[in-house]
Amino acid sequence: MIRVIFLGPPGAGKGTQAAVLSEDFGVPHISTGDILRSAVAAKSELGQKAESYMNAGELVPDDLILDLIRERLDQEDAGKGWILDGFPRNVSQANFLDKLLAEIGQPCECVLNLDVPDNVLISRLLGRGREDDNEEVIRNRLVVYRQQTEPLIEFFRSRQQLVSINGNQPMDSVAADLKQVLQP
């Protein structure tokens, strides 16, 4: 059973690697973006609340995200373990998540951080060819990441939960390194 949180800047390959590990270990890859989209599509009570924030262009509040995550972790497939991608995004969310996981008896085993230099991230993100991905926007996303999310690295390191992986290598090598951590 694996219960893992994925950290890393935009373009580090979190989603790609989480999908590979999800397949290999038979546990769900839980992305907050996916949770929000499916709750909205299902028109659940939480989904409708989240949608009102999203439609107004606002961030969905932490307590609502936590309720959605609690609901998702209560589903049967998450009983065998999970890979959480995109949450927590800051130390306050990490503290909330910690309490939630203790409450539901699903402690996180480790936090995997994909470490990739900014110049590589920028060229990867520019290579995706998305409309909103120009260099200025990407650099700004990295600044926001460093300000909001990077303190999590120290938070989890201080708790001896953090394992950093070199994300600046071929995809297969990154996947092999991740598996090595999860199945020593």
Side-chain angles (χ1 to χ4, degrees):
M1 179 179 302
I2 65 166
R3 294 189 191 112
V4 176
I5 294 171
F6 254 106
L7 293 181
K14 295 182 301 291
T16 302
Q17 293 297 338
V20 169
L21 292 175
S22 166
E23 184 85 13
D24 289 351
F25 288 96
V27 298
H29 167 207
I30 300 174
S31 138
T32 43
D34 292 345
I35 289 176
L36 285 169
R37 284 185 288 278
S38 61
V40 167
K43 303 244 182 270
S44 71
E45 186 184 332
L46 292 173
Q48 289 175 358
K49 283 183 189 169
E51 187 175 32
S52 67
Y53 288 100
M54 291 158 69
N55 288 344
E58 295 172 26
L59 288 175
V60 178
D62 288 356
D63 57 343
L64 185 51
I65 295 275
L66 267 171
D67 287 343
L68 286 162
I69 287 174
R70 176 194 309 263
E71 193 175 82
R72 179 63 186 91
L73 293 178
D74 275 343
Q75 292 173 14
E76 195 177 325
D77 65 340
K80 299 183 298 251
W82 39 261
I83 298 167
L84 200 52
D85 167 16
F87 190 88
R89 286 191 189 271
N90 57 49
V91 172
S92 143
Q93 288 180 350
N95 283 315
F96 278 121
L97 181 62
D98 214 30
K99 287 187 188 99
L100 168 65
L101 295 176
E103 207 177 286
I104 64 175
Q106 293 190 25
C108 173
E109 286 148 31
C110 81
V111 178
L112 298 169
N113 178 47
L114 292 179
D115 209 8
V116 182
D118 282 4
N119 61 330
V120 174
L121 295 169
I122 291 166
S123 74
R124 282 184 187 177
L125 291 168
L126 286 171
R128 285 182 182 175
R130 293 186 185 163
E131 270 180 46
D132 60 340
D133 280 351
N134 64 53
E135 191 164 341
E136 187 182 337
V137 168
I138 290 168
R139 283 190 185 281
N140 187 52
R141 283 173 63 199
L142 292 173
V143 166
V144 169
Y145 170 80
R146 302 264 179 260
Q147 290 170 340
Q148 293 180 4
T149 310
E150 221 168 44
L152 280 173
I153 292 170
E154 199 43 54
F155 174 83
F156 287 118
R157 182 180 289 131
S158 71
R159 299 167 56 157
Q160 281 79 47
Q161 285 184 290
L162 186 80
V163 179
S164 278
I165 301 288
N166 176 5
N168 187 22
Q169 51 181 344
M171 263 178 20
D172 294 347
S173 303
V174 175
D177 287 356
L178 290 166
K179 283 181 201 151
Q180 186 62 43
V181 169
L182 297 172
Q183 275 187 329

